[in-house]
Amino acid sequence: MSVEKLRKAIEKASRICVFTGAGISCPSGIPDFRSAEGLYSETDKSGYSPEEIISHSFFIKHTDLFYDFYKSKMMYPEAMPNKAHLYFAQLKKQGKIVSVVTQNIDGLHSEAGSTEVYELHGSVHRNFCQNCGEFFDGDYVYKSIGIPKCEKCGGTIKPDVVLYEEGLDDDTVIGAIKAIKNADLLIIIGTSLAVYPAASFIGYFRGETIALINKSPTPFDRKADIVIYDDIVNVTEHLVE
C-alpha cells in the first residue's frame, strides 16, 4: 500500500528531490557505515577506528595509513549504478524536474544519468594536488602505489571528500537547500539521518509530501507522509511494474 502511495505521489509531483544515503548504494556492492556489518563496525589493522582515519588531522599526520584504508574501504571502482539510481535518473524522461542531494561519495547518481546532483560529502572521482591544484580522477588515485603524488609538481594529492573536522562546500550546501526547498515531493532513501549538518537540510522542505525509504526506523519517521521499511531496489522494482 505504501509503495502505491509513493507511486501516486511521484506521478503527481512535477519537482522531485531525492535525498540519499549509503543505503541506495549497498545493492551496488558498497557497504554502509552504521549497520552491524558497516564500515564503522570494523577496526582497521593499524589499530585506529574508521572515524579516526577519515579525519582531516589523521590525513595530515598519517597520510600513508589514510590511503591504505581509503583505497581499500572507500573506493569501489567496479561498482555500477543499480536499478534505483537508474530509476530516479530516468524520471526526467517523464517530464519531471529531479534533483539529487546525496551524502554518498561514490558518484553513482551522476553515472546513472542524473544531471542535478549535490554531493554533500564530495566524490572519490575528484582529487586535487594540495600544492598546485592539479586535478586527478579516481582511477589515478586508486592505482597509485602508496601516497598518490602529483605528476606535475610532486605534491600530495587529496581526495575531494569531506573528512571529519572539515566543513561542507558552501556552494553545494546552497544548491542542496534550494533543491529541497523548491521540491513538491522529497524522497529520503537509505539514510539513518544521523549525520549532521546534512540531515538537518530536510527541514527546509516546504512541499506537499515526504516519503522515507529505509531498512530500519529513523528519527524522522513520524514527520514523513509515507514510510517504507525495505531495500530501495525492491521498492523500485514495484514502482516500475
Side-chain angles (χ1 to χ4, degrees), residues 27-232:
S28 294
I30 300 177
D32 65 6
F33 286 78
R34 288 177 165 75
S35 72
E37 298 82 29
L39 191 64
Y40 287 172
S41 67
E42 303 178 18
T43 299
D44 187 66
K45 61 183 179 181
S46 65
Y48 295 99
S49 70
E51 292 97 324
E52 288 179 279
I53 296 172
I54 54 176
S55 67
H56 178 82
S57 55
F58 193 93
F59 174 81
I60 299 300
K61 294 176 185 176
H62 308 287
T63 312
D64 55 341
L65 295 179
F66 170 87
Y67 268 114
D68 286 345
F69 181 88
Y70 179 77
K71 288 191 277 189
S72 64
K73 300 292 186 180
M74 299 183 73
M75 298 188 78
Y76 293 84
E78 304 300 319
M80 299 293 290
N82 59 53
K83 291 179 180 179
H85 294 109
L86 295 169
Y87 172 77
F88 291 108
Q90 292 166 2
L91 278 179
K92 60 188 176 185
K93 293 181 180 179
Q94 300 177 23
K96 309 291 184 184
I97 298 172
V98 183
S99 58
V100 176
V101 177
T102 185
Q103 299 173 85
N104 300 336
I105 60 174
D106 51 48
L108 294 181
H109 281 294
S110 295
E111 194 173 337
S114 290
T115 52
E116 186 181 344
V117 181
Y118 301 96
E119 295 169 314
L120 296 175
H121 298 149
S123 171
V124 297
H125 299 290
R126 298 190 300 270
N127 306 271
F128 298 93
C129 172
Q130 293 190 106
N131 186 43
C132 72
E134 185 75 6
F135 170 85
F136 294 90
D137 62 17
D139 193 54
Y140 181 89
V141 169
Y142 188 75
K143 291 180 178 178
S144 64
I145 298 173
I147 300 172
K149 295 291 185 177
C150 177
E151 291 179 319
K152 198 173 180 180
C153 73
T156 298
I157 295 169
K158 182 182 182 297
D160 186 21
V161 298
V162 179
L163 305 177
Y164 285 114
E165 304 163 354
E166 294 179 343
L168 305 186
D169 176 73
D170 288 343
D171 290 339
T172 303
V173 168
I174 291 169
I177 290 174
K178 184 178 179 181
I180 292 169
K181 201 171 183 178
N182 291 341
D184 308 318
L185 168 64
L186 175 63
I187 307 175
I188 303 168
I189 302 169
T191 173
S192 62
L193 295 174
V195 178
Y196 284 80
S200 66
F201 295 167
I202 58 179
Y204 287 94
F205 181 67
R206 297 292 180 268
E208 186 174 337
T209 305
I210 296 177
L212 200 156
I213 306 164
N214 200 47
K215 283 187 173 181
S216 56
T218 79
F220 198 79
D221 291 5
R222 59 187 177 81
K223 297 181 181 179
D225 303 290
I226 301 168
V227 178
I228 301 172
Y229 298 127
D230 200 353
D231 185 290
I232 182 57

